[in-house]
Amino acid sequence: MATYPPTAAPAPADAGLPTRERLVRATARMFVGEGYQAVSVNRICAEVGVLKGSFYHFFPSKRDLALAVIDHLEGGLGEVLDAHERAARGPIDKMRASAVAVAEIQRNLAASYGRIVGCPLGNLAMELAPVEPAAGAHVAAVLGRWRERIGRHARDADEVGLLAPGVDPDELAGLVIAAMQGMILLAKIGDLPVSQVPVAMHRAIDAGLRP
Amino acid sequence: MATYPPTAAPAPADAGLPTRERLVRATARMFVGEGYQAVSVNRICAEVGVLKGSFYHFFPSKRDLALAVIDHLEGGLGEVLDAHERAARGPIDKMRASAVAVAEIQRNLAASYGRIVGCPLGNLAMELAPVEPAAGAHVAAVLGRWRERIGRHARDADEVGLLAPGVDPDELAGLVIAAMQGMILLAKIGDLPVSQVPVAMHRAIDAGLRP
């Protein structure tokens, strides 16, 4: 049962989970739809059906819950990326697995939330950076590790001569993540269709390949 | 006297401008530093030294002022881009002029605000989209016209055989804007240095060129 991306409505199986896990999953769903600041502890408690005393037993603050949500999102994203990379053959296709995964993730988000909500991690990174810098750095690091994951495949590709001369594998990985985040932004503000997100990522990868 | 990007402190020459223009420029400076929702009409009036009656004489609402700020930002950006494109020779270098301009803009913003504030237009587009959709569409259209500006140079390049076979000039322009916005996001959340923003734009352009 994939936990990434979150869905707008609770998964039926969530009801049987321990309280802490239900708090994390419900909050992840609400953060994706509304953002960190718009979602209060009161609303999270109402959504999960717990008293505030129970909430604070698990999380001293909404910020602490946000850290757990970020870890939950990273875990779920990692499973999705692992599955797509396992199905890919060779380092180039393993880089492309991120684009294939993002296409699926954005399709699932649009189907569930009924609009372009953006990147669950990128949104949180942008929103948290000014108001909760430590939590912002926590989610920025998740995007950094995604970048490094693509960078490892790019180095593997470089070692067998698949990258164009002079291309830096880590810089290429940065361009892939930037193309993803930037095209998601353009889709969210309505400038371009969300179908362009994986296209931009594939083009960024193409840019680094030996012609 | 360039008006783009806005500076953290008022330009001395602003004091001599008509009240409406002073409201627009002061608000542009404040929106870049703090965003649309964090800046109240009261604070704008205090910053410019006008009474609220005077404010509402010029702008029925903060939203109307935001539209004027967006137009002001587009005008200033257009002058900066025009200047860089005039100094460039040939369609490829005119595409690259946007990357050179963005490097300069981000340097000026960092020097004036003392931190990575992001893209003045991209920030407003993201913030306004959910809360003021009409104003959000207004600023998204500015980014769309920037994309079209790059797309015209890309088509010029294509007509003289400078693009790689199969590259769509408009798609290439979208990738350049996405690389810009995405890398600015990664810089703002602290994942990569802001110096990577023009690098990513140049790489996106490289991706479309005949090898």
Side-chain angles (χ1 to χ4, degrees):
Chain A
M1 189 68 191
T3 61
Y4 196 90
T7 51
D14 286 3
L17 295 172
T19 303
R20 185 185 187 283
E21 188 64 21
R22 283 194 294 136
L23 285 167
V24 168
R25 294 189 182 206
T27 306
R29 296 193 284 104
M30 295 164 85
F31 280 180
V32 170
E34 306 174 55
Y36 173 81
Q37 289 175 285
V39 176
S40 66
V41 171
N42 279 337
R43 284 194 40 230
I44 295 167
C45 290
E47 176 74 14
V48 178
V50 301
L51 297 172
K52 272 177 106 164
S54 176
F55 178 98
Y56 288 113
H57 168 72
F58 292 107
F59 302 105
S61 69
K62 190 170 82 168
R63 188 177 58 86
D64 292 287
L65 172 56
L67 296 176
V69 166
I70 293 162
D71 292 341
H72 169 75
L73 293 174
E74 179 171 26
L77 171 66
E79 288 177 19
V80 172
L81 293 176
D82 285 346
H84 281 280
E85 290 181 1
R86 271 195 306 270
R89 287 291 170 266
I92 304 295
D93 274 3
K94 285 185 196 298
M95 293 175 73
R96 295 199 189 282
S98 277
V100 177
V102 166
E104 177 186 287
I105 289 163
Q106 289 293 322
R107 266 198 311 274
N108 288 342
L109 285 170
S112 178
Y113 287 87
R115 60 196 163 86
I116 311 293
V117 292
C119 170
L121 293 157
N123 288 352
L124 275 178
M126 287 295 275
E127 188 182 2
L128 289 168
V131 295
E132 294 282 2
H138 198 72
V139 62
V142 178
L143 290 174
R145 284 188 287 273
W146 193 350
R147 191 165 49 71
E148 287 161 10
R149 173 194 282 260
I150 296 173
R152 282 192 296 275
H153 300 310
R155 282 196 295 278
D156 288 344
D158 194 34
E159 287 173 7
V160 292
L162 293 172
L163 297 195
V167 168
D168 178 90
D170 295 311
E171 189 188 289
L172 174 59
L175 181 60
V176 175
I177 297 287
M180 167 178 67
Q181 291 294 330
M183 197 57 88
I184 288 176
L185 182 147
L186 295 182
K188 197 173 170 187
I189 68 175
D191 183 45
L192 284 175
V194 72
S195 58
Q196 283 298 301
V197 176
V199 173
M201 296 174 73
H202 283 300
R203 290 291 175 273
I205 293 166
D206 293 342
L209 303 185
R210 184 177 288 276
Chain B
M1 189 68 191
T3 61
Y4 196 91
T7 51
D14 286 3
L17 295 171
T19 303
R20 185 185 187 282
E21 187 65 21
R22 283 193 293 137
L23 284 167
V24 168
R25 294 190 182 205
T27 306
R29 294 193 285 103
M30 295 163 84
F31 279 1
V32 170
E34 305 173 56
Y36 173 81
Q37 288 174 282
V39 175
S40 66
V41 171
N42 278 337
R43 285 194 41 228
I44 295 166
C45 290
E47 176 75 15
V48 178
V50 301
L51 296 172
K52 273 178 106 165
S54 176
F55 178 97
Y56 287 114
H57 168 71
F58 292 107
F59 301 105
S61 70
K62 190 170 83 168
R63 187 177 57 88
D64 293 287
L65 172 57
L67 295 175
V69 166
I70 293 162
D71 292 341
H72 169 76
L73 293 174
E74 179 171 28
L77 172 65
E79 289 177 19
V80 171
L81 294 176
D82 285 346
H84 280 281
E85 289 181 1
R86 272 196 305 272
R89 287 289 170 268
I92 303 296
D93 274 4
K94 285 186 198 297
M95 294 175 73
R96 296 199 188 282
S98 277
V100 177
V102 166
E104 178 186 287
I105 288 163
Q106 288 294 323
R107 268 198 310 274
N108 288 343
L109 284 170
S112 178
Y113 287 87
R115 60 197 164 85
I116 311 294
V117 292
C119 170
L121 293 157
N123 289 351
L124 275 179
M126 288 294 277
E127 189 182 1
L128 289 168
V131 294
E132 294 281 4
H138 198 72
V139 63
V142 178
L143 290 175
R145 284 188 288 275
W146 192 350
R147 191 165 52 69
E148 287 161 9
R149 172 193 282 260
I150 296 172
R152 282 192 295 275
H153 299 311
R155 281 197 295 279
D156 288 346
D158 193 34
E159 286 172 6
V160 293
L162 294 171
L163 296 195
V167 168
D168 179 88
D170 295 311
E171 188 188 289
L172 175 58
L175 181 60
V176 175
I177 296 288
M180 167 177 66
Q181 291 293 331
M183 198 56 90
I184 288 176
L185 182 148
L186 295 182
K188 197 174 172 188
I189 67 175
D191 183 46
L192 285 175
V194 72
S195 57
Q196 284 298 301
V197 176
V199 172
M201 296 173 73
H202 284 300
R203 290 291 174 273
I205 293 166
D206 293 344
L209 303 185
R210 184 178 289 275

